[in-house]
Amino acid sequence: MKPARLLLGLGLAAGLSTSPSWGYEEIPVSDGGTLQGMVKLLGEVPKPKGYNLVTLPDAVYCGRISTGTGWRLLQPFVIGPNGGFKNVVIYIEEIHKGKTFSYAPPRIAAIDCKFEPYITIVRDRHDIEVVNMDPVFHDIQGYETSKFGARVLFNVPLPMSKKLRKEVLLAGKTVKDRAGEVLAQRIKMGKQRNLFVMQCGFHAYMESWGFAVKNPYYALSAKDGSYSISDIPPGTYTVQVWHPMVNKEYTVTITPNGITELQIDIHAPKGRLYANEMSEGTRFGMELLGDVAIKPIVERQTY
């Protein structure tokens, strides 16, 4: 399986959905089965994306997470010590009748010049929440994407807290309440689309992905790569496996009250994956900042 290639400089992976939309009906599932397993990356973890901080705004503040040499890294592949692959979406789209679909709007925070979480599962035609935890300007640009091209979902500024001061955080002090006004954005995906990416218009390394679902039969792999989906109506289904750099499908059969194991092995892509990679020999150096230094007091990043 080839990795999804980058569009618009962001890595906009093609959407998976090809079926028409329908409403989901909640019904009792008395004999449902469970799908569970592990997601693992096989091979060497690819290099992260790299951004020279002096070429972007707020180099000193955002450099509180950096390499110590003026670079900010963004690693889409979060891999545990045993190869467990975190933040991979496992989804069964074909189910339109089943267990209760509870949903609370997930919150994405812009904190220390990164979006957390990196991957969010959202319910189509429902809200997400976004909040600024930094004393610098961020805006949120959301792009729906698929093989048919990109479409803007939203593009709005993200308010800062009026009480938050940059010098306090630069001094390494802890601030309990950093939140600005929480913004709610409705996710309304177009036909045959279920992916969107959100970026900050000021800081190119701030990136977050959303996967829109129409039913509750999904999971996001944990830190060790494990996942589990319960109360699945018996039957044979196509299981979608997605990450910004992964797009695979499996066929599984769910038996009444049974457990189906599905091991998901992802072969690590090789070669250069991104336009932005860290380079030791750079045209722009930290000397452009004068007497001001970039200090990674929150996190010193390494490959």
Side-chain angles (χ1 to χ4, degrees), residues 13 22 31 37 64 66 68 90 107 120 130 145 192 205 221 226 242 263:
W22 25 237
D31 59 349
R64 292 161 61 250
S66 63
I90 300 93
R107 180 169 295 184
T120 304
V130 192
T145 181
Q192 298 186 355
Y205 41 83
S221 60
S226 63
W242 179 87
Q263 172 71 27

Side-chain angles (χ1 to χ4, degrees), residues 35-51:
L35 177 69
Q36 64 183 33
M38 300 286 293
V39 186
K40 289 193 174 184
L41 185 77
L42 306 181
E44 185 176 354
V45 179
K47 291 182 178 180
K49 299 180 182 181
Y51 299 86

Side-chain angles (χ1 to χ4, degrees), residues 115-169:
F115 286 128
E116 291 185 344
Y118 180 61
I119 304 288
T120 304
I121 298 179
V122 304
R123 186 171 182 177
D124 196 16
R125 302 312 197 262
H126 288 68
D127 288 348
I128 62 168
E129 296 179 345
V130 192
V131 62
N132 190 356
M133 308 287 281
D134 288 331
V136 298
F137 287 108
H138 297 307
D139 69 358
I140 48 174
Q141 301 177 0
Y143 299 93
E144 176 192 76
T145 181
S146 77
K147 62 183 179 181
F148 305 107
R151 182 177 71 88
V152 176
L153 287 175
F154 48 82
N155 185 353
V156 294
L158 199 56
M160 292 182 288
S161 168
K162 296 180 180 179
K163 300 179 181 179
L164 192 59
R165 297 291 179 265
K166 187 186 299 185
E167 56 268 21
V168 175
L169 294 174

Side-chain angles (χ1 to χ4, degrees), residues 38-42 77-88 221-226:
M38 300 286 293
V39 186
K40 289 193 174 184
L41 185 77
L42 306 181
F77 293 87
V78 181
I79 309 300
N82 296 317
F85 195 164
K86 182 182 178 182
N87 285 335
V88 176
S221 60
K223 186 177 181 179
D224 63 355
S226 63

Side-chain angles (χ1 to χ4, degrees), residues 247-298:
N247 187 341
K248 300 185 72 173
E249 291 185 346
Y250 295 84
T251 299
V252 298
T253 297
I254 304 299
T255 57
N257 300 307
I259 296 177
T260 300
E261 296 281 346
L262 176 61
Q263 172 71 27
I264 300 172
D265 292 329
I266 308 296
H267 292 274
K270 299 179 180 180
R272 182 162 184 154
L273 302 181
Y274 321 111
N276 298 299
E277 280 192 1
M278 178 177 166
S279 173
E280 298 297 339
T282 177
R283 177 181 174 186
F284 303 106
M286 288 194 290
E287 66 275 4
L288 296 177
L289 298 176
D291 296 332
V292 181
I294 297 176
K295 299 178 180 180
I297 61 175
V298 173

Side-chain angles (χ1 to χ4, degrees), residues 24 27-36 92 95 97-100 217 228-235 237 253-260:
Y24 177 75
I27 62 171
V29 180
S30 60
D31 59 349
T34 297
L35 177 69
Q36 64 183 33
I92 308 175
I95 302 174
K97 292 182 180 182
K99 65 181 178 180
T100 301
Y217 292 100
S228 179
I229 305 173
S230 63
D231 298 319
I232 305 171
Y237 302 104
T253 297
I254 304 299
T255 57
N257 300 307
I259 296 177
T260 300

